[in-house]
Amino acid sequence: MRIIFKLTFIVFGLGLIAFMLFLDSQPEQFITQEQPEESPTIGDDEPSYIEENEEATGEEPEEKIMKEVEQVESEEVIADSQDGLSDGETVEIEHANPFHTLIGEASDELVSLYGEPDRVEPSQYGYEWFVWNRDDLYLQAGIQGGSIVTIYTNLPNNQTEPFEIGESYDHLASTWNFEREITITNDYQFNLSPKEIRTNPIIEVDGVWVQLYIDTFDQELSSIRYIDGDTVVLHQPYSLIYKGSLPEKPTLTESEWEQVEKGMARQVFDLTNHFRQKHGLDPLDWDEDTSAVAFGHSKDMRDNAYFSHHSPTHGDLGERLTNGGVQYQRAAENIAARYVDAGAAMEGWLNSEGHRVNLMNEDLTHLGVGVHRDFYTQNFMTPW
């Protein structure tokens, strides 16, 4: 009996050990999170455009002549004074280190090249944007704790190597391996759709992540974002599978959000004018009253959970501009939502036929931009 008991005990013990080894060999459970809650979007197929509007007389005009411009179906994309150099002074950057090698370095590396930034603006991700905006330079550098965590640019610069703004997509695709699955620190795996491979692939260069934004109409590199792994995960620009937990984004007060939103609005304005400059068009002038109307529409869309050029309570673009005291001849509107920041939203618009028409319209002279959280509105207009 004792022998039988001992054998039973030994068999049970061996079975328990085998079961524990089996459990230990199983991979940790991953959590799938689709690309941020809802995919980024840039509005409906026909961005709002008003061809003519009667001159305001202080009274409600009897009739407004409004004509919608036919638009080709747009693709939905799945996200002052200078304190630095004096006028005429240039910076020798021919032998400066490439941007991707500056990620993780001190912000002084950029200040020594370009002087003090033209603006410093907060972001919703915990870093500050150092912004250099000049005729031949547009650069946003995310600075956290004195170190560079991301750099974004859309103008040619020697420091973008091994890439070149304006480089063809075909050349990029033949030189670099655009993968559908990207793993960061073994805990986070991003899955890119075929559309994202064509519009915004991401690759690793010397331990730094690089997002390449493609102008799908010109089939060339439009802008570049250099970024460290932690900040990519914070942005969550693609569908994500992860284990463990996600990093928490900073909790901002209303006043902090207000400053972030003003910064993003100004960035959209700058990027719009650089895009126009690239295509030989005159820059647009900033209009404060129109910006207030644009902000009101972004806030209205987010607060009331809709996404349209027509507000259930404030009407269409013409009604909103008129009620905002804006006297205009022509007007147009682009809207976007759920992009990670101003640069990403701008890339979404320029890759949509209808929205691109508004960006490049030679008959529009002024622009107001309003951002509320991750809702973006551009209101273009020509005043009387």
Side-chain angles (χ1 to χ4, degrees):
M1 181 64 71
R2 290 181 179 178
I3 293 175
I4 294 174
F5 178 77
K6 288 180 180 181
L7 289 173
T8 302
F9 183 78
I10 291 171
V11 170
F12 175 78
L14 290 173
L16 181 61
I17 292 172
F19 179 70
M20 293 175 67
L21 289 173
F22 171 77
L23 289 178
D24 190 56
S25 67
Q26 299 306 299
E28 292 187 55
Q29 183 177 6
F30 281 78
I31 300 172
T32 300
Q33 174 170 308
E34 293 301 325
Q35 180 175 358
E37 299 176 0
E38 295 182 72
S39 298
T41 184
I42 48 175
D44 55 28
D45 296 339
E46 295 187 358
S48 180
Y49 182 83
I50 300 172
E51 179 66 23
E52 294 289 347
N53 181 54
E54 290 190 3
E55 184 173 5
T57 61
E59 300 178 357
E60 188 69 20
E62 294 181 5
E63 181 180 1
K64 294 179 182 178
I65 306 173
M66 302 173 64
K67 183 173 71 175
E68 292 291 333
V69 173
E70 270 187 38
Q71 307 290 4
V72 179
E73 183 176 358
S74 62
E75 292 184 352
E76 183 176 327
V77 181
I78 302 275
D80 312 282
S81 61
Q82 296 182 0
D83 297 325
L85 303 175
S86 60
D87 290 343
E89 188 175 352
T90 59
V91 181
E92 178 58 53
I93 62 169
E94 183 177 353
H95 303 295
N97 292 329
F99 283 137
H100 74 272
T101 67
L102 298 181
I103 299 299
E105 299 297 321
S107 59
D108 292 345
E109 294 283 339
L110 289 171
V111 174
S112 66
L113 285 171
Y114 301 113
E116 293 295 327
D118 301 318
R119 304 194 306 271
V120 176
E121 295 163 340
S123 79
Q124 65 272 47
Y125 298 107
Y127 52 78
E128 287 185 317
W129 282 120
F130 282 22
V131 182
W132 289 266
N133 180 37
R134 298 159 193 174
D135 288 341
D136 59 349
L137 172 70
Y138 187 80
L139 190 68
Q140 290 182 217
I143 310 298
Q144 189 166 32
S147 297
I148 305 168
V149 298
T150 184
I151 294 174
Y152 176 84
T153 186
N154 70 340
L155 289 182
N157 187 305
N158 289 336
Q159 289 184 271
T160 62
E161 64 178 29
F163 312 99
E164 184 177 353
I165 298 294
E167 184 175 355
S168 74
Y169 177 82
D170 288 343
H171 185 263
L172 288 166
S174 65
T175 305
W176 303 92
N177 183 23
F178 295 159
E179 297 182 354
R180 293 285 305 275
E181 296 182 355
I182 301 295
T183 301
I184 298 179
T185 66
N186 295 322
D187 293 331
Y188 306 97
Q189 178 183 297
F190 288 108
N191 297 323
L192 282 69
S193 69
K195 183 178 291 184
E196 288 165 333
I197 291 292
R198 296 193 305 270
T199 61
N200 182 24
I202 183 171
I203 58 177
E204 188 176 14
V205 180
D206 298 333
V208 171
W209 294 99
V210 183
Q211 288 180 277
L212 304 173
Y213 291 93
I214 307 300
D215 182 329
T216 58
F217 289 86
D218 294 337
Q219 281 297 301
E220 65 182 33
L221 183 58
S222 172
S223 63
I224 310 174
R225 188 192 303 267
Y226 309 86
I227 188 167
D228 66 23
D230 290 342
T231 308
V232 176
V233 174
L234 200 61
H235 282 189
Q236 296 176 41
Y238 314 102
S239 295
L240 176 63
I241 298 175
Y242 67 95
K243 62 182 178 182
S245 59
L246 287 171
E248 292 187 6
K249 298 176 183 178
T251 301
L252 305 183
T253 65
E254 285 297 321
S255 61
E256 288 171 334
W257 264 117
E258 182 178 344
Q259 295 306 309
V260 169
E261 292 161 354
K262 286 182 177 179
M264 286 196 288
R266 196 70 193 187
Q267 291 159 24
V268 167
F269 176 76
D270 292 342
L271 291 168
T272 299
N273 275 336
H274 282 295
F275 177 74
R276 289 173 64 90
Q277 177 187 24
K278 174 184 176 182
H279 290 87
L281 301 171
D282 291 334
L284 301 170
D285 293 327
W286 177 269
D287 188 84
E288 195 63 40
D289 289 340
T290 307
S291 296
V293 173
F295 174 80
H297 190 54
S298 290
K299 189 175 189 302
D300 185 39
M301 286 191 293
R302 185 179 187 275
D303 289 351
N304 294 294
Y306 75 94
F307 188 69
S308 171
H309 293 289
H310 184 87
S311 166
T313 53
H314 302 292
D316 61 19
L317 172 60
E319 292 172 299
R320 287 183 273 116
L321 288 172
T322 299
N323 292 335
V326 178
Q327 299 182 18
Y328 64 95
Q329 299 179 53
R330 298 178 178 85
E333 179 173 84
N334 287 344
I335 56 176
R338 296 181 291 276
Y339 284 91
V340 300
D341 59 15
M346 182 64 191
E347 290 293 330
W349 281 323
L350 68 85
N351 275 329
S352 159
E353 177 74 21
H355 302 83
R356 189 183 181 98
V357 166
N358 287 342
L359 291 169
M360 299 176 66
N361 192 315
E362 297 183 62
D363 295 325
L364 298 167
T365 61
H366 290 67
L367 175 62
V369 183
V371 181
H372 182 64
R373 303 303 193 264
D374 56 354
F375 280 71
Y376 306 78
T377 300
Q378 285 181 307
N379 284 164
F380 306 82
M381 69 94 175
T382 300
W384 281 108

